[in-house]
Amino acid sequence: MSMMTPSESKPIRVLIADDHAMVLEMFKQFLSNLPDFEAQTAPDLDTALEKMDAEGPFDLVLVDLDMPGMNGVGGLSKAIERNGGNPVGILTSNPTAHVVSESLSLGGAGIILKTESLKNLTNEIRFMANGGRYVPVELINRPRAKARDSSGNSSLSEREMTVLALLAQGKPNREIGAELGLAEATVKMHVKSICAKLGASNRTQAVIVARDIGIF
């Protein structure tokens, strides 16, 4: 019985789902020009799921975080269920810390950034298709939220915790100020401090990070 040489081994079958036609064409053209890859594409989650049912499981499926049908990382769970236990990763541009941690906790194969160079893509895909979990180094090194200090207390002040709770209700600075008897400029200062302490770039991300690390 003859052994298969590497050149005769099966190509890595990749399914890429994204609602931007240019992104799909770029990925497919790049991968299809390589001898050991076979790429297919889908414009939305439903089409990707249908392809997995008909032609899967694929060695790796990459799903765009923001395309129709995804509903955040909820679509990742569906794709994982339908890919027969094979890896499924997220394709995105600038994921929050919450998205990174939740996608990994759901069993995702990792994150591929659309902002990365294509020359890194083949190694990332091989790694994920072989069972590795890939997270770009810049996401790992991002400032993480400091939820609690050494005494076990929240690093946010009591006033900041109150403001954060109102932010979570979607209230603007003016309403928060009226409710707490504070000037709008003071509320802005508290919001800025909350974002800095939680490593968040805006008020929405601050709420997401706070929930992610269990502040409330």
Side-chain angles (χ1 to χ4, degrees):
M1 190 171 87
S2 62
M3 298 288 289
M4 280 174 56
T5 64
S7 60
E8 293 172 320
S9 62
K10 290 182 179 179
I12 297 172
R13 296 176 65 243
V14 183
L15 173 63
I16 300 164
D18 195 296
D19 61 334
H20 291 94
M22 188 182 295
V23 172
L24 287 184
E25 287 170 19
M26 179 185 70
F27 274 105
K28 186 169 184 178
Q29 184 175 13
F30 177 75
L31 291 174
S32 296
N33 285 333
L34 301 170
D36 52 346
F37 286 93
E38 180 186 301
Q40 292 202 39
T41 61
D44 53 48
L45 182 63
D46 286 344
T47 306
L49 296 176
E50 288 168 10
K51 286 205 173 210
M52 284 181 240
D53 290 342
E55 305 175 42
F58 289 85
D59 296 314
L60 176 65
V61 174
L62 294 174
V63 291
D64 175 37
L65 184 64
D66 300 315
M67 69 180 170
M70 280 296 287
N71 297 319
V73 294
L76 175 66
S77 293
K78 291 182 183 177
I80 290 171
E81 286 173 15
R82 302 283 269 277
N83 201 37
N86 281 8
V88 180
I90 290 276
L91 190 61
T92 188
S93 297
N94 186 30
T96 63
H98 177 75
V99 164
V100 175
S101 61
E102 193 169 358
S103 63
L104 292 176
S105 68
L106 288 171
I111 309 279
I112 285 187
L113 296 176
K114 294 181 185 180
T115 50
E116 285 191 69
S117 169
L118 278 174
K119 71 178 188 295
N120 300 324
L121 185 64
T122 51
N123 288 333
E124 292 160 4
I125 286 180
R126 282 195 185 94
F127 182 71
M128 294 165 83
N130 287 325
R133 305 182 86 193
Y134 174 75
V135 178
V137 66
E138 58 264 44
L139 297 185
I140 298 169
N141 289 341
R142 253 187 342 201
R144 293 293 298 184
K146 183 186 175 189
R148 308 198 172 271
D149 62 25
S150 58
S151 64
N153 298 318
S154 169
S155 61
L156 298 178
S157 69
E158 191 173 332
R159 174 66 80 193
E160 287 166 348
M161 289 290 286
T162 306
V163 171
L164 180 60
L166 294 171
L167 287 178
Q169 295 173 27
K171 295 190 175 184
N173 292 346
R174 187 185 68 257
E175 285 186 27
I176 293 172
E179 190 159 330
L180 300 179
L182 299 173
E184 191 172 344
T186 305
V187 176
K188 283 182 182 177
M189 184 185 71
H190 285 311
V191 172
K192 188 174 181 181
S193 175
I194 290 165
C195 288
K197 288 182 178 180
L198 295 179
S201 56
N202 56 54
R203 60 202 289 139
T204 303
Q205 191 180 4
V207 172
I208 291 170
V209 171
R211 286 177 175 152
D212 188 34
I213 61 178
I215 286 182
F216 55 76

